[in-house]
Amino acid sequence: MGGPEIERLIALLSKLPGLGPRSARRATLALLKQPQSKMLPLAKALEQAAEHVKVCSSCGNLDSNDPCVICTNPHRHQDQICVVETVGDLWALEKTGIFKGQYQVLGGALSPLSGIGPEDLNLTPLLDRLQRQEVTEIILALGATVDGVTTMHWLYDQLLPWNVKITRVSQGIPMGGSLEVLDEGTLTAALTTRRSV
Amino acid sequence: MGGPEIERLIALLSKLPGLGPRSARRATLALLKQPQSKMLPLAKALEQAAEHVKVCSSCGNLDSNDPCVICTNPHRHQDQICVVETVGDLWALEKTGIFKGQYQVLGGALSPLSGIGPEDLNLTPLLDRLQRQEVTEIILALGATVDGVTTMHWLYDQLLPWNVKITRVSQGIPMGGSLEVLDEGTLTAALTTRRSV
């Protein structure tokens, strides 16, 4: 359509999650309209991120520093650890600003069907922390999926010997959600774990 | 969340059409998982596109070459010119592979409300072509919007003196579309321009 450079850019963009061939073409067009103010800054940002961003050896977060900005923040509680499946989950929780403790990113969930076993999850740093410092609560913030629940039960078994308070995030009606359109599983969970007003 | 490099990348990606802050975070995470095989190639592709891609002085398409690959293709009919609003429209039509003529990209549509007048549209190359070579048909492939229809009528008036066949793309039921969910305007157009089977 417009030479190899355009085709290559569309091909690479269309592989990003949330973008398909059609939206990659739209994005490419928007970029091509402003090569100096949009394309080159994006190219630079990608290069710099590729160069500087690393995995935090302590919690598994992605950051320019290792240990990451969350692990080294002295204002955050060191005795609360929230276990999440992915860095995306960590970022989503951080957007709320409600949690002031530490994280542990597992890097996935147990999934017998996909061949992901306990040895594939990044649990060692959490066990190291339990040995090294005082931890009062471990919050399991895993997805409400079959794999997430499997992982939660397995983690519970692993953490039980440490005699630490283990909690899990609630399940129920999402904010703005109408009961009418929700599935039976969510409604059952919302009903059975109901609280007084 | 993860240092200035990540924040900057998310900010730039979220400005692309079709991406918001949330999908930009997802895309950034996907890229960060494979810095060598995904981020650096994308950075390189952006740089090369910014450097090589230019506007075709003949039709207004974007291409590594000027005149573009469509204008210089000897196998395409030189006497059919399809007028479109944007390069995105041109690419969408090219995907169908059904049209084998030339294009003219106007760069927009007449829009009194947005202050886009005839002087903002790229019509001169088309008039030059009409003067220079034999043109048997001009196809107006403009959007079925108020601005698109306004532009079509204005173009018709401009082209009338040239005594050339002027056609327009059909309006009607989109492929896979159910009549039940379509608006009255589309249904009216589909009915009034009906053809024998």
Side-chain angles (χ1 to χ4, degrees), chain B residues 108-124:
Chain B
L110 291 181
S111 177
L113 287 176
S114 316
I116 299 177
E119 67 283 2
D120 300 312
L121 300 185
N122 186 28
L123 193 63
T124 321

Side-chain angles (χ1 to χ4, degrees), chain A residues 111-185:
Chain A
S111 176
L113 287 176
S114 315
I116 300 178
E119 67 282 2
D120 299 312
L121 300 185
N122 186 27
L123 193 63
T124 322
L126 177 61
L127 301 178
D128 284 353
R129 275 198 202 182
L130 283 167
Q131 219 149 20
R132 217 173 48 222
Q133 69 189 63
E134 200 194 350
V135 175
T136 55
E137 182 180 4
I138 295 180
I139 302 166
L140 305 181
L142 305 171
T145 58
V146 173
D147 291 350
V149 172
T150 308
T151 312
M152 193 179 66
H153 288 302
W154 171 77
L155 268 175
Y156 185 81
D157 290 344
Q158 301 297 310
L159 297 171
L160 210 53
W162 294 92
N163 205 18
V164 59
K165 184 177 167 194
I166 306 172
T167 59
R168 56 178 284 185
V169 290
S170 309
Q171 274 182 276
I173 320 289
M175 212 54 76
S178 145
L179 268 66
E180 198 180 32
V181 297
L182 283 170
D183 61 296
E184 290 82 3

Side-chain angles (χ1 to χ4, degrees), chain B residues 70-86:
Chain B
I70 294 176
C71 288
T72 52
N73 185 341
H75 299 297
R76 298 190 72 118
H77 310 307
Q78 301 294 318
D79 58 340
Q80 268 190 330
I81 301 178
C82 179
V83 183
V84 293
E85 292 177 25
T86 65

